[in-house]
PDB file of all heavy atoms in Angstrom:
ATOM      1  N   GLN N  80      12.774  20.961  42.402  1.00 97.00           N
ATOM      2  CA  GLN N  80      12.556  20.036  43.519  1.00 97.00           C
ATOM      3  C   GLN N  80      13.827  19.290  43.846  1.00 97.00           C
ATOM      4  O   GLN N  80      14.289  18.504  43.001  1.00 97.00           O
ATOM      5  CB  GLN N  80      11.434  19.047  43.160  1.00 97.00           C
ATOM      6  CG  GLN N  80      11.078  18.075  44.270  1.00 97.00           C
ATOM      7  CD  GLN N  80       9.974  17.113  43.881  1.00 97.00           C
ATOM      8  OE1 GLN N  80       9.557  17.055  42.722  1.00 97.00           O
ATOM      9  NE2 GLN N  80       9.493  16.343  44.832  1.00 97.00           N
ATOM     10  N   PRO N  81      14.421  19.506  45.008  1.00 96.00           N
ATOM     11  CA  PRO N  81      14.075  20.468  46.037  1.00 96.00           C
ATOM     12  C   PRO N  81      14.744  21.810  45.787  1.00 96.00           C
ATOM     13  O   PRO N  81      15.821  21.878  45.176  1.00 96.00           O
ATOM     14  CB  PRO N  81      14.646  19.820  47.291  1.00 96.00           C
ATOM     15  CG  PRO N  81      15.875  19.124  46.793  1.00 96.00           C
ATOM     16  CD  PRO N  81      15.555  18.668  45.390  1.00 96.00           C
ATOM     17  N   ALA N  82      14.148  22.883  46.275  1.00 97.00           N
ATOM     18  CA  ALA N  82      14.714  24.215  46.066  1.00 97.00           C
ATOM     19  C   ALA N  82      15.869  24.477  47.027  1.00 97.00           C
ATOM     20  O   ALA N  82      15.894  23.973  48.153  1.00 97.00           O
ATOM     21  CB  ALA N  82      13.627  25.274  46.250  1.00 97.00           C
ATOM     22  N   LYS N  83      16.822  25.273  46.549  1.00 97.00           N
ATOM     23  CA  LYS N  83      17.940  25.718  47.366  1.00 97.00           C
ATOM     24  C   LYS N  83      17.893  27.247  47.475  1.00 97.00           C
ATOM     25  O   LYS N  83      17.241  27.918  46.667  1.00 97.00           O
ATOM     26  CB  LYS N  83      19.266  25.295  46.745  1.00 97.00           C
ATOM     27  CG  LYS N  83      19.521  23.808  46.729  1.00 97.00           C
ATOM     28  CD  LYS N  83      20.922  23.514  46.204  1.00 97.00           C
ATOM     29  CE  LYS N  83      21.248  22.035  46.297  1.00 97.00           C
ATOM     30  NZ  LYS N  83      22.628  21.737  45.827  1.00 97.00           N
ATOM     31  N   LEU N  84      18.614  27.772  48.458  1.00 97.00           N
ATOM     32  CA  LEU N  84      18.626  29.222  48.658  1.00 97.00           C
ATOM     33  C   LEU N  84      19.056  29.955  47.380  1.00 97.00           C
ATOM     34  O   LEU N  84      18.500  31.012  47.045  1.00 97.00           O
ATOM     35  CB  LEU N  84      19.553  29.597  49.818  1.00 97.00           C
ATOM     36  CG  LEU N  84      19.167  29.085  51.196  1.00 97.00           C
ATOM     37  CD1 LEU N  84      20.231  29.480  52.212  1.00 97.00           C
ATOM     38  CD2 LEU N  84      17.799  29.596  51.619  1.00 97.00           C
ATOM     39  N   GLU N  85      20.030  29.372  46.674  1.00 96.00           N
ATOM     40  CA  GLU N  85      20.566  30.047  45.485  1.00 96.00           C
ATOM     41  C   GLU N  85      19.613  30.038  44.295  1.00 96.00           C
ATOM     42  O   GLU N  85      19.915  30.638  43.248  1.00 96.00           O
ATOM     43  CB  GLU N  85      21.909  29.431  45.071  1.00 96.00           C
ATOM     44  CG  GLU N  85      21.844  27.958  44.753  1.00 96.00           C
ATOM     45  CD  GLU N  85      22.326  27.094  45.913  1.00 96.00           C
ATOM     46  OE1 GLU N  85      22.062  27.472  47.082  1.00 96.00           O
ATOM     47  OE2 GLU N  85      22.954  26.057  45.639  1.00 96.00           O
ATOM     48  N   ASP N  86      18.475  29.384  44.443  1.00 97.00           N
ATOM     49  CA  ASP N  86      17.474  29.396  43.367  1.00 97.00           C
ATOM     50  C   ASP N  86      16.617  30.667  43.407  1.00 97.00           C
ATOM     51  O   ASP N  86      15.792  30.872  42.512  1.00 97.00           O
ATOM     52  CB  ASP N  86      16.560  28.170  43.464  1.00 97.00           C
ATOM     53  CG  ASP N  86      17.315  26.863  43.288  1.00 97.00           C
ATOM     54  OD1 ASP N  86      18.360  26.870  42.599  1.00 97.00           O
ATOM     55  OD2 ASP N  86      16.878  25.848  43.851  1.00 97.00           O
ATOM     56  N   SER N  87      16.794  31.476  44.424  1.00 98.00           N
ATOM     57  CA  SER N  87      16.049  32.737  44.504  1.00 98.00           C
ATOM     58  C   SER N  87      16.406  33.595  43.299  1.00 98.00           C
ATOM     59  O   SER N  87      17.573  33.952  43.098  1.00 98.00           O
ATOM     60  CB  SER N  87      16.391  33.480  45.799  1.00 98.00           C
ATOM     61  OG  SER N  87      15.919  32.779  46.929  1.00 98.00           O
ATOM     62  N   ALA N  88      15.404  33.920  42.512  1.00 97.00           N
ATOM     63  CA  ALA N  88      15.629  34.624  41.254  1.00 97.00           C
ATOM     64  C   ALA N  88      14.274  34.904  40.618  1.00 97.00           C
ATOM     65  O   ALA N  88      13.228  34.488  41.133  1.00 97.00           O
ATOM     66  CB  ALA N  88      16.465  33.770  40.298  1.00 97.00           C
ATOM     67  N   VAL N  89      14.307  35.604  39.493  1.00 98.00           N
ATOM     68  CA  VAL N  89      13.114  35.740  38.660  1.00 98.00           C
ATOM     69  C   VAL N  89      13.221  34.726  37.532  1.00 98.00           C
ATOM     70  O   VAL N  89      14.263  34.629  36.869  1.00 98.00           O
ATOM     71  CB  VAL N  89      12.980  37.158  38.087  1.00 98.00           C
ATOM     72  CG1 VAL N  89      11.792  37.238  37.126  1.00 98.00           C
ATOM     73  CG2 VAL N  89      12.820  38.183  39.214  1.00 98.00           C
ATOM     74  N   TYR N  90      12.159  33.974  37.324  1.00 98.00           N
ATOM     75  CA  TYR N  90      12.136  32.977  36.252  1.00 98.00           C
ATOM     76  C   TYR N  90      11.276  33.525  35.120  1.00 98.00           C
ATOM     77  O   TYR N  90      10.081  33.773  35.274  1.00 98.00           O
ATOM     78  CB  TYR N  90      11.630  31.639  36.782  1.00 98.00           C
ATOM     79  CG  TYR N  90      12.665  31.036  37.705  1.00 98.00           C
ATOM     80  CD1 TYR N  90      12.707  31.403  39.052  1.00 98.00           C
ATOM     81  CD2 TYR N  90      13.647  30.175  37.221  1.00 98.00           C
ATOM     82  CE1 TYR N  90      13.695  30.912  39.891  1.00 98.00           C
ATOM     83  CE2 TYR N  90      14.634  29.679  38.053  1.00 98.00           C
ATOM     84  CZ  TYR N  90      14.658  30.059  39.380  1.00 98.00           C
ATOM     85  OH  TYR N  90      15.648  29.576  40.201  1.00 98.00           O
ATOM     86  N   LEU N  91      11.943  33.757  34.011  1.00 98.00           N
ATOM     87  CA  LEU N  91      11.311  34.385  32.854  1.00 98.00           C
ATOM     88  C   LEU N  91      11.027  33.335  31.785  1.00 98.00           C
ATOM     89  O   LEU N  91      11.872  32.485  31.490  1.00 98.00           O
ATOM     90  CB  LEU N  91      12.232  35.443  32.257  1.00 98.00           C
ATOM     91  CG  LEU N  91      12.525  36.664  33.125  1.00 98.00           C
ATOM     92  CD1 LEU N  91      13.769  37.387  32.615  1.00 98.00           C
ATOM     93  CD2 LEU N  91      11.338  37.617  33.126  1.00 98.00           C
ATOM     94  N   CYS N  92       9.873  33.438  31.206  1.00 97.00           N
ATOM     95  CA  CYS N  92       9.518  32.627  30.051  1.00 97.00           C
ATOM     96  C   CYS N  92       9.492  33.544  28.830  1.00 97.00           C
ATOM     97  O   CYS N  92       9.054  34.707  28.919  1.00 97.00           O
ATOM     98  CB  CYS N  92       8.157  31.984  30.260  1.00 97.00           C
ATOM     99  SG  CYS N  92       7.589  30.972  28.869  1.00 97.00           S
ATOM    100  N   ALA N  93       9.968  33.059  27.721  1.00 96.00           N
ATOM    101  CA  ALA N  93       9.952  33.842  26.483  1.00 96.00           C
ATOM    102  C   ALA N  93       9.546  32.933  25.335  1.00 96.00           C
ATOM    103  O   ALA N  93       9.679  31.708  25.416  1.00 96.00           O
ATOM    104  CB  ALA N  93      11.324  34.452  26.210  1.00 96.00           C
ATOM    105  N   SER N  94       9.036  33.538  24.280  1.00 94.00           N
ATOM    106  CA  SER N  94       8.704  32.753  23.093  1.00 94.00           C
ATOM    107  C   SER N  94       9.105  33.527  21.847  1.00 94.00           C
ATOM    108  O   SER N  94       9.259  34.752  21.874  1.00 94.00           O
ATOM    109  CB  SER N  94       7.219  32.393  23.052  1.00 94.00           C
ATOM    110  OG  SER N  94       6.409  33.532  22.817  1.00 94.00           O
ATOM    111  N   SER N  95       9.320  32.789  20.780  1.00 90.00           N
ATOM    112  CA  SER N  95       9.630  33.410  19.493  1.00 90.00           C
ATOM    113  C   SER N  95       9.006  32.586  18.389  1.00 90.00           C
ATOM    114  O   SER N  95       8.767  31.381  18.547  1.00 90.00           O
ATOM    115  CB  SER N  95      11.139  33.548  19.284  1.00 90.00           C
ATOM    116  OG  SER N  95      11.740  32.277  19.115  1.00 90.00           O
TER     117      SER N  95
END
Side-chain angles (χ1 to χ4, degrees):
Chain N
Q80 183 180 8
K83 293 185 175 182
L84 296 177
E85 59 260 36
D86 297 332
S87 293
V89 175
Y90 290 85
L91 294 162
C92 179
S94 69
S95 69

